[in-house]
Amino acid sequence: MKSFLEFMCEDLHPDIVSTLDGYDKDKHKAITKHIRNLISNGEETGLEGAKAKKGSSRAVFLPKDPKEIKIDGVNTHMKTALKIAYQGELDTKKLRGRKGFLGEMQNNAESAQYFNQHSILKKVGYGNKEFETNEEHGVLAPLTDKSNDGSWLEMGRVDNITPEKFKELTRNETHPEGLRHQDVAHIMENEHLLAFGKGKVAYSEREQAIHDHPFTQKMVHLIHNTDLHPSDIFTGREDVGDNMGVWTHPVTGKEYPVVRDYGCTHDVAREYKLRRAVQRDL
């Protein structure tokens, strides 16, 4: 019987699949070794490119072939990305103690069930094969599969977004030119403060119109119902930042602005801070 990983990425090389499903602590390191060996032997890896895009604690690999998936009752295919935790500079034994890698903590956070109500694709029933489009609250890139130990997760692939593209995707009757991401970020920051009894209670007419925009409402709903901090969503000033992007619906072709990196919850951010403090004292 095939494992769920084999169903997830049937065209990945078996060595890579077995590593994902295996017991290597640093799976990114093990997979990278396999990729180099496969390429040197002229074998197909099943991945786009030999190098992953790396953040501070996770690496992103892109499977060549799309995943079979059912959305709103329609069988379709969707391009995905694999986020794999690796041992970063704050993951040494001295700094982490008995805790796992920070990338594993981020993967576990992103795959938490309570984020499902905010995903652009909500899981239907059990398993990772059937989803429904979440027009009302969906603002997170869709999670399609995950490991049990936080070492990896699979997510719908998201393209980069520019300020101009963000405006284009947020155009409507009240905002024919679209929204500036800085204005949405301002509302989110204030809504976060209001949750703690601080912040600005009354908005100006312009601010209220931005607040009432359907996209801003999705973001406000996200901030009020999770422990994500607004500053970790729109991470740029002039640019939108790397944590936002554009997800394209495989069935309708409609484009959505979504958050593609939302693993830095309050608990994860606190752990980053604690390890930085310990590192400075060593």
Side-chain angles (χ1 to χ4, degrees):
M1 180 181 290
K2 291 183 179 180
S3 71
F4 65 97
L5 262 171
E6 289 174 303
F7 280 115
M8 181 187 84
C9 297
E10 289 189 339
D11 292 301
L12 286 182
H13 192 280
D15 287 353
I16 297 176
V17 174
S18 63
T19 302
L20 282 172
D21 217 7
Y23 298 99
D24 295 272
K25 179 58 180 173
D26 193 336
K27 293 186 179 179
H28 168 257
K29 185 176 181 180
I31 287 173
T32 300
K33 181 180 178 180
H34 282 309
I35 290 173
R36 287 172 180 165
N37 290 336
L38 291 170
I39 290 175
S40 65
N41 293 331
E43 296 184 58
E44 177 60 61
T45 64
L47 296 168
E48 293 181 6
K51 292 185 177 180
K53 179 182 178 182
K54 292 181 69 175
S56 61
S57 56
R58 294 187 293 179
V60 179
F61 290 92
L62 304 177
K64 285 185 177 179
D65 293 309
K67 179 186 181 75
E68 291 185 5
I69 189 173
K70 180 180 281 189
I71 302 175
D72 301 329
V74 179
N75 290 317
T76 186
H77 296 80
M78 182 173 71
K79 285 281 192 178
T80 61
L82 290 171
K83 293 184 178 182
I84 301 176
Y86 68 88
Q87 184 170 356
E89 65 169 317
L90 297 178
D91 290 319
T92 63
K93 187 62 178 177
K94 278 188 176 181
L95 295 178
R96 75 172 191 268
R98 295 184 178 181
K99 296 181 179 179
F101 294 165
L102 289 168
E104 293 171 342
M105 295 178 67
Q106 285 184 282
N107 281 344
N108 284 328
E110 284 186 352
S111 59
Q113 177 61 30
Y114 86 134
F115 276 133
N116 187 49
Q117 65 173 314
H118 304 284
S119 175
I120 189 61
L121 292 182
K122 290 175 65 175
K123 289 184 180 181
V124 178
Y126 298 98
N128 302 294
K129 287 283 188 177
E130 193 165 349
F131 301 80
E132 62 182 15
T133 307
N134 183 11
E135 291 283 358
E136 183 179 8
H137 296 305
V139 75
L140 300 179
L143 178 80
T144 53
D145 215 335
K146 66 184 182 68
S147 65
N148 294 322
D149 59 3
S151 58
W152 62 268
L153 61 77
E154 181 194 34
M155 183 174 283
R157 197 176 303 185
V158 175
D159 296 320
N160 294 335
I161 191 169
T162 63
E164 292 73 24
K165 187 66 175 180
F166 184 81
K167 288 180 180 179
E168 175 191 327
L169 296 180
T170 53
R171 290 173 186 161
N172 67 356
E173 292 182 0
T174 60
H175 292 79
E177 296 182 359
L179 298 175
R180 295 173 67 249
H181 68 276
Q182 298 96 328
D183 293 334
V184 178
H186 169 71
I187 297 296
M188 290 170 61
E189 290 280 357
N190 190 65
E191 290 292 319
H192 179 72
L193 290 173
L194 286 173
F196 294 92
K198 304 176 182 179
K200 182 177 179 181
V201 177
Y203 287 118
S204 67
E205 184 177 348
R206 177 179 176 276
E207 289 172 330
Q208 189 65 50
I210 296 169
H211 174 278
D212 294 342
H213 187 286
F215 177 79
T216 312
Q217 281 295 293
K218 291 180 183 182
M219 299 301 279
V220 169
H221 187 260
L222 176 70
I223 292 301
H224 283 177
N225 291 279
T226 70
D227 60 353
L228 286 178
H229 195 282
S231 63
D232 196 53
I233 295 176
F234 292 103
T235 56
R237 293 189 178 180
E238 296 303 317
D239 293 326
V240 182
D242 291 335
N243 290 354
M244 289 289 298
V246 181
W247 177 77
T248 304
H249 197 293
V251 177
T252 66
K254 182 178 178 180
E255 295 178 315
Y256 295 84
V258 296
V259 186
R260 62 179 168 188
D261 191 339
Y262 45 95
C264 195
T265 58
H266 174 76
D267 288 343
V268 176
R270 181 174 59 184
E271 185 64 22
Y272 264 98
K273 186 176 181 180
L274 286 172
R275 294 189 190 186
R276 281 291 184 198
V278 174
Q279 184 186 51
R280 286 194 295 270
D281 293 337
L282 289 178

